[in-house]
Amino acid sequence: MVELQANLRPGAEQKVVFITARVHPGETPSSFVCQDTRRLSPLPSCIIDFLVSQHPIAKVLRDHLVFKIAPMLNPDGVYLGNYRCSLMGFDLNRHWANPSPWAHPTLHGVKQLIIEMYNNPKINLEFYIDIHAHSTMMNGFMYGNIFEDEERFQRQAVLPKLLCQNAEDFSYSSTSFNRDAVKAGTGRRFLGGLLNDTSYCYTLEVSFYSYIVAGTTTAVPYTEEAYMKLGRNVARTFLDYYRLNSLVERPLAPTPKTRKEKEPLFKGTTLQGQGTSHVGSKLEKRSQTHPKDQSLPTQ
């Protein structure tokens, strides 16, 4: 009989990382980052393959975290060859506030699962990452949210800064934190306003065509293998993040580096992601001043 890991046993407290991809069917690089459906590499490659592998870092992550992954939020749009919309003609990434179980069933199901976890006192949903591909910008980069709480804003910058150290194709200088009105219905914006102050929501973007390594001026074309490597580096970065916050013990071999180197949405101006962060400080435990609302509406 297989013994369940401690964090998977009934009633155990869980730290959850929720990842989604391919809400826009034409953004195929997001699938290579998240899931190597063609098995192009015999080695653990993308996020999913790495997390379920026997790699020692993956084992440590599974021991301490629970990963919930929806690798394709728009399967009907992918099947039809649409670029941005679903079978019904909707851009699903603008309907997070009030998804219909009939018109947006995948979005509705994922949102209900997230709300269920949010209302469970044993579950701390610590990260939400939605993976996309960008048609005009280069490199990988992130979009984050803006908060009036300066400490929360700075803590939000820790993960992308660590990823920048692990992935040569990820650019922190291109990462930005904003609350553009046009993005109000996206997963990153909506969940950033729904979840409490220990949760961080990001959009991870990766270029359709190329990246520039820091310190050089030459554009390197993206390949399927390079997209999958970025996915692997995203997964590995969680180990660095939780080591900083003492969830994971230090004795494990260090991660190889590829480079040297419940709050409402607030009104305000857009800020670019160039601020410093309190990387060395421990994150606060789930705030006692922001208890979960057990009667949270599904909107």
Side-chain angles (χ1 to χ4, degrees):
M1 184 176 185
V2 178
E3 183 179 359
L4 287 177
Q5 295 172 185
N7 62 341
L8 296 180
R9 293 171 185 165
E13 293 190 2
Q14 297 180 346
K15 294 182 180 294
V16 175
V17 176
F18 208 112
I19 299 173
T20 58
R22 207 69 183 275
V23 70
H24 293 145
E27 297 176 3
T28 52
S30 65
S31 283
F32 287 107
V33 173
C34 186
Q35 182 182 26
D36 178 15
T37 57
R38 295 169 58 186
R39 293 294 181 266
L40 296 176
S41 172
L43 301 175
S45 50
C46 58
I47 291 176
I48 293 178
D49 283 1
F50 181 79
L51 289 174
V52 301
S53 74
Q54 296 305 306
H55 193 286
I57 292 177
K59 290 181 179 180
V60 171
L61 290 174
R62 293 197 302 268
D63 286 342
H64 293 86
L65 305 170
V66 173
F67 288 86
K68 301 281 188 180
I69 302 177
M72 188 175 288
L73 282 179
N74 196 343
D76 55 347
V78 171
Y79 177 79
L80 292 171
N82 293 351
Y83 179 71
R84 195 170 182 88
C85 296
S86 66
L87 170 65
M88 301 292 294
F90 293 105
D91 180 346
L92 297 182
N93 205 35
R94 295 296 183 274
H95 290 274
W96 275 89
N98 189 27
S100 161
W102 177 75
H104 327 107
T106 54
L107 209 61
H108 181 269
V110 167
K111 180 182 175 182
Q112 292 304 307
L113 175 59
I114 289 175
I115 290 176
E116 179 182 329
M117 290 190 297
Y118 177 81
N119 285 328
N120 186 335
K122 293 287 188 179
I123 296 178
N124 189 6
L125 180 54
E126 303 213 327
F127 289 99
Y128 171 75
I129 298 178
D130 188 25
I131 307 174
H132 289 252
H134 206 285
S135 61
T136 60
M137 294 185 66
M138 300 176 70
N139 292 70
F141 58 95
M142 282 181 166
Y143 292 121
N145 295 311
I146 289 179
F147 308 103
E148 287 186 347
D149 182 346
E150 177 66 17
E151 183 178 357
R152 185 184 183 190
F153 179 77
Q154 296 293 348
R155 291 200 308 264
Q156 182 187 214
V158 174
L159 185 71
K161 285 186 175 183
L162 290 173
L163 180 55
C164 187
Q165 294 301 313
N166 288 337
E168 66 176 5
D169 57 323
F170 185 85
S171 170
Y172 185 75
S173 63
S174 295
T175 293
S176 65
F177 304 93
N178 61 62
R179 50 171 163 264
D180 297 341
V182 71
K183 304 289 188 180
T186 64
R188 185 256 305 179
R189 281 287 311 280
F190 175 77
L191 294 175
L194 172 72
L195 304 177
N196 67 21
D197 61 2
T198 63
S199 302
Y200 301 97
C201 302
Y202 307 90
T203 299
L204 172 62
E205 297 273 4
V206 61
S207 174
F208 268 102
Y209 51 100
S210 61
Y211 62 93
I212 297 178
V213 178
T216 71
T217 57
T218 303
V220 180
Y222 264 113
T223 63
E224 293 166 347
E225 290 78 8
Y227 289 130
M228 291 185 289
K229 183 178 179 181
L230 176 60
R232 181 170 67 250
N233 285 328
V234 169
R236 296 164 76 107
T237 298
F238 283 109
L239 178 64
D240 293 340
Y241 179 87
Y242 284 104
R243 271 180 165 171
L244 285 177
N245 297 286
S246 301
L247 174 65
V248 178
E249 296 297 331
R250 288 278 178 179
L252 185 71
T255 307
K257 303 295 183 184
T258 57
R259 293 183 62 179
K260 296 179 181 178
E261 308 187 346
K262 205 52 88 57
E263 297 292 343
L265 295 177
F266 297 106
K267 297 180 180 179
T269 57
T270 298
L271 299 179
Q272 296 299 316
Q274 283 293 336
T276 58
S277 64
H278 304 154
V279 177
S281 63
K282 294 184 180 180
L283 297 188
E284 297 175 351
K285 293 182 179 179
R286 181 178 292 275
S287 173
Q288 298 302 314
T289 60
H290 297 84
K292 292 184 177 181
D293 179 5
Q294 298 297 330
S295 61
L296 183 70
T298 58
Q299 299 190 28

